[in-house]
């Protein structure tokens, strides 16, 4: 017996091979069941969607997309057709979406960064060591220093103002998050550091009202990030 829907992966996402002879309602039911059964496999996947084997109206495509979003955690970035230019455009959209999510993944660096050293990361970054004066850390995601931060830290380097910088000992020369800069000696509206206290305790820096806010790390604060 022919399957109403076959899910087949492609370089950018999922290709749905659709039986042209079954009823559309049976097709939707089969798709919902397959998605439910394979939800762990596709959990939080970001995909381009394509169709094969059956001509679909725009309304039918939308119904299929509704079934996918209702029965899985899949994020549909775009719908592909057979045109190569469209496929390339959608691939760029997927990469751009991934860039926006860089705060959700990260890398580790073990060691102390000394004067003149620069460490850059395409995701979030956890440093097991100190960042000394004159050293610089740049990450597209968040920055966590399990040591002393006494140099420069630039989080959300792709322009993300929702990134943060955290350190066990927060005493930076400069912090930049997205496009907002905070310097230890500045008082300007875009570069002032609010609640600046020299405390030997874990602290976190975030953007609040176009300023860098630094405050102690608490469970409640982490839940709101």
């Amino acid at each position: 017996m022919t399957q109403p829907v076959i899910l087949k992966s492609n370089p950018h996402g999922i290709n749905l091979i659709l039986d042209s002879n079954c009823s559309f309602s049976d097709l939707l039911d089969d798709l919902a069941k397959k998605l439910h059964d394979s939800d762990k496999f596709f959990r939080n996947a970001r995909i381009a969607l394509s169709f094969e084997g059956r001509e679909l109206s725009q309304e039918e495509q939308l119904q299929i997309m509704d079934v996918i979003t209702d029965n899985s955690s899949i994020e549909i970035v775009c719908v592909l057709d057979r045109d190569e230019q469209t496929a390339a455009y959608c691939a760029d959209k997927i990469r751009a979406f991934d860039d926006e999510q860089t705060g959700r993944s990260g890398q580790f660096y073990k060691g102390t960064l000394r004067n003149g050293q620069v460490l850059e990361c395409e995701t979030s970054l956890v440093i097991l060591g100190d960042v000394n004066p004159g050293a610089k850390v740049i990450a597209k995601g968040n920055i966590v220093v399990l040591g002393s931060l006494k140099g420069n830290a630039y989080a959300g380097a792709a322009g993300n103002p929702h990134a943060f910088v955290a350190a066990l000992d927060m005493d930076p020369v400069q912090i930049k998050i997205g496009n907002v800069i905070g310097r230890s000696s500045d008082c300007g509206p875009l570069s002032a550091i609010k609640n600046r206290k020299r405390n030997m305790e874990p602290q976190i820096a975030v953007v609040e009202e176009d300023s860098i806010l630094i405050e102690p790390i608490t469970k409640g604060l982490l839940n709101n990030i």
Side-chain angles (χ1 to χ4, degrees):
M1 180 177 177
T2 302
Q3 298 183 59
V5 181
I6 297 175
L7 280 68
K8 185 178 180 181
S9 63
N10 62 53
H12 306 304
I14 297 175
N15 184 30
L16 297 184
I17 302 175
L18 310 174
D19 186 348
S20 60
N21 296 318
C22 73
S23 69
F24 188 69
S25 60
D26 287 344
L27 185 151
L28 295 179
D29 290 342
D30 187 63
L31 175 60
K33 183 179 184 303
K34 281 184 167 65
L35 290 168
H36 185 267
D37 292 342
S38 58
D39 183 56
K40 289 184 179 179
F41 179 78
F42 292 114
R43 185 173 298 277
N44 298 320
R46 298 177 293 278
I47 68 162
L49 183 66
S50 58
F51 305 105
E52 182 180 337
R54 180 174 183 141
E55 291 294 327
L56 298 170
S57 66
Q58 184 175 8
E59 177 61 29
E60 288 174 330
Q61 289 189 22
L62 291 174
Q63 289 184 54
I64 289 175
M65 294 170 69
D66 285 341
V67 168
I68 292 173
T69 55
D70 289 344
N71 292 276
S72 72
S73 57
I74 291 173
E75 176 81 23
I76 301 173
V77 179
C78 62
V79 177
L80 291 174
D81 59 26
R82 296 183 182 275
D83 181 78
E84 291 184 359
Q85 184 175 1
T86 302
Y89 169 77
C90 288
D92 288 341
K93 291 284 285 183
I94 293 172
R95 283 192 291 270
F97 188 91
D98 286 339
D99 287 344
E100 293 175 1
Q101 306 301 315
T102 50
R104 299 183 179 181
S105 60
Q107 300 179 26
F108 286 87
Y109 175 88
K110 184 177 181 180
T112 294
L113 293 177
R114 306 188 186 284
N115 182 24
Q117 289 186 293
V118 178
L119 180 62
E120 296 189 52
C121 180
E122 292 294 312
T123 59
S124 292
L125 180 62
V126 177
I127 298 174
L128 303 175
D130 298 332
V131 180
N132 287 345
K136 181 182 294 186
V137 181
I138 303 171
K140 285 188 177 180
N142 308 309
I143 296 173
V144 177
V145 180
L146 299 180
S148 297
L149 173 56
K150 297 183 178 181
N152 295 352
Y154 181 8
N160 178 14
H162 303 295
F164 63 81
V165 177
L168 296 182
D169 177 18
M170 182 79 77
D171 190 25
V173 173
Q174 180 187 96
I175 287 181
K176 184 177 181 182
I177 300 176
N179 297 316
V180 181
I181 300 174
R183 299 185 183 92
S184 58
S185 60
D186 284 349
C187 298
L190 288 179
S191 56
I193 297 181
K194 293 183 176 181
N195 290 4
R196 185 70 188 104
K197 295 180 180 179
R198 181 70 178 97
N199 292 327
M200 290 292 293
E201 63 179 347
Q203 292 183 299
I204 189 168
V206 295
V207 173
E208 182 176 285
E209 297 179 351
D210 293 328
S211 295
I212 302 294
L213 172 67
I214 295 179
E215 55 186 332
I217 294 177
T218 63
K219 183 177 179 180
L221 176 63
L222 293 177
N223 288 337
N224 292 327
I225 294 178

